[in-house]
Amino acid sequence: MGLFPLLSCFSINDPGENRLLGTTTFNILEELCTHFSLAEIKSAVRNIKKPSVIGEDSFGVVYKGYLKKGATTVAIKWFRKGSLSGLSESQLKNEVLFLCQLHHPNIMPLIGFCIERDHPHLILVHEYMLNGALSDHLHPKSNHKVDPLPWKRRLQICIGVARGLHYLHTGGKCSVIHNFFKTCYILLDQIWEPKISGLLLSKRGSIDVANSSLVARNHDTFAYCDPEYLATGILTVKSNVFSFGVVLLEVVSAKQGKD
């Protein structure tokens, strides 16, 4: 587990977190992943005026980029200004530190990040997922034809996602609750292994997985929300299980949930 049991329970809502991690977070981060400069990010994206966009959500845009003179293909998530609720630089670093500690075959690995005082955005660098998001294959756009996923492959993807969720809920000292769990955050690598992404603002629950809960600040897709969350505003690991059930229905039926 490494540092995961020790640090993964720090919440961005904890007023004491900066005192605990403030002077050491950056050094730990540099040991766990790469801190890229803004110049390196722009170079990786190459022509920043006409970048290759491979994804977009309410938080920002994902670009295709290249590191090591084109030898390594990466996905660069460029968060929009203000999309992270005005979190401070220290708080953002603590969130990135949390992401660096997640190690599982079905969790999206983090290669590096970019946080600069003169640049108001957060940028994350991930491995490039050759086969895109699961949603792209279930609901292809009219101008982007894809072959239907074979049933065996769909089953294997769902099993991998279930393993990733189980790791988030039980793999550390505190349970981790995904705040935006849906098919567009399930990415597929070159061998169709699923990777759960979108964990930057996930919630950290108590040590008691069965009772872990936190008040969620937002949820951008209510079609995936369990009724108890909608009624109480309390997000729990059971909420993720409900969302996973909706994902299973979506995989079987290829019908998209409506907000």
Side-chain angles (χ1 to χ4, degrees), residues 90-143:
S90 178
Q91 289 171 323
L92 287 175
K93 287 179 179 178
N94 287 338
E95 287 297 306
V96 175
L97 175 60
F98 160 73
L99 291 180
C100 290
Q101 298 169 65
L102 299 177
H103 299 288
H104 187 274
N106 299 114
I107 301 296
M108 171 67 80
L110 181 67
I111 295 175
F113 67 100
C114 174
I115 303 176
E116 294 191 351
R117 294 184 183 277
D118 297 331
H119 185 69
H121 302 277
L122 168 67
I123 301 171
L124 298 180
V125 181
H126 293 281
E127 288 185 9
Y128 176 69
M129 297 291 107
L130 183 62
N131 286 305
L134 176 58
S135 58
D136 296 334
H137 298 272
L138 299 175
H139 321 293
K141 297 178 181 179
S142 57
N143 60 346

Side-chain angles (χ1 to χ4, degrees), residues 4 98 102 107 163-172 174-178 196 199 237 240:
F4 182 66
F98 160 73
L102 299 177
I107 301 296
R163 288 171 175 163
L165 273 182
H166 183 262
Y167 167 76
L168 292 177
H169 293 168
T170 65
C174 298
S175 57
V176 178
I177 307 170
H178 199 300
I196 298 175
L199 285 161
V237 293
N240 277 178

Side-chain angles (χ1 to χ4, degrees), residues 20-244:
L20 290 168
L21 291 176
T23 59
T24 60
T25 299
F26 193 76
N27 291 335
I28 296 174
L29 273 174
E30 289 198 319
E31 291 180 4
L32 296 176
C33 63
T34 303
H35 179 220
F36 293 101
S37 68
L38 186 57
E40 289 176 308
I41 294 294
K42 289 184 176 181
S43 176
V45 178
R46 292 186 172 178
N47 187 357
I48 200 67
K49 293 182 180 179
K50 293 183 179 180
S52 177
V53 177
I54 57 176
E56 186 172 3
D57 59 19
S58 58
F59 290 103
V61 181
V62 183
Y63 301 102
K64 186 177 182 179
Y66 302 90
L67 298 174
K68 299 179 181 178
K69 296 181 179 181
T72 302
T73 308
V74 294
I76 299 173
K77 179 64 175 285
W78 200 305
F79 288 85
R80 294 189 180 92
K81 183 179 180 180
S83 65
L84 297 175
S85 304
L87 297 182
S88 68
E89 179 183 352
S90 178
Q91 289 171 323
L92 287 175
K93 287 179 179 178
N94 287 338
E95 287 297 306
V96 175
L97 175 60
F98 160 73
L99 291 180
C100 290
Q101 298 169 65
L102 299 177
H103 299 288
H104 187 274
N106 299 114
I107 301 296
M108 171 67 80
L110 181 67
I111 295 175
F113 67 100
C114 174
I115 303 176
E116 294 191 351
R117 294 184 183 277
D118 297 331
H119 185 69
H121 302 277
L122 168 67
I123 301 171
L124 298 180
V125 181
H126 293 281
E127 288 185 9
Y128 176 69
M129 297 291 107
L130 183 62
N131 286 305
L134 176 58
S135 58
D136 296 334
H137 298 272
L138 299 175
H139 321 293
K141 297 178 181 179
S142 57
N143 60 346
H144 181 62
K145 294 183 179 180
V146 295
D147 294 329
L149 291 173
W151 287 110
K152 183 177 181 181
R153 178 162 291 162
R154 296 187 194 209
L155 175 60
Q156 292 171 336
I157 289 171
C158 290
I159 291 173
V161 173
R163 288 171 175 163
L165 273 182
H166 183 262
Y167 167 76
L168 292 177
H169 293 168
T170 65
K173 181 179 178 181
C174 298
S175 57
V176 178
I177 307 170
H178 199 300
N179 199 25
F180 307 96
F181 189 74
K182 55 182 182 176
T183 53
C184 70
Y185 289 119
I186 298 172
L187 305 183
L188 306 167
D189 67 12
Q190 67 275 13
I191 60 171
W192 300 93
E193 188 72 23
K195 312 282 184 180
I196 298 175
S197 65
L199 285 161
L200 181 68
L201 294 179
S202 57
K203 308 300 177 183
R204 265 71 94 196
S206 66
I207 193 171
D208 183 356
V209 174
N211 297 317
S212 65
S213 63
L214 284 171
V215 177
R217 290 178 297 189
N218 47 44
H219 200 304
D220 64 347
T221 306
F222 286 96
Y224 297 83
C225 293
D226 69 284
E228 289 187 9
Y229 168 76
L230 291 176
T232 66
I234 303 297
L235 194 69
T236 72
V237 293
K238 294 179 181 179
S239 303
N240 277 178
V241 175
F242 182 93
S243 298
F244 179 57

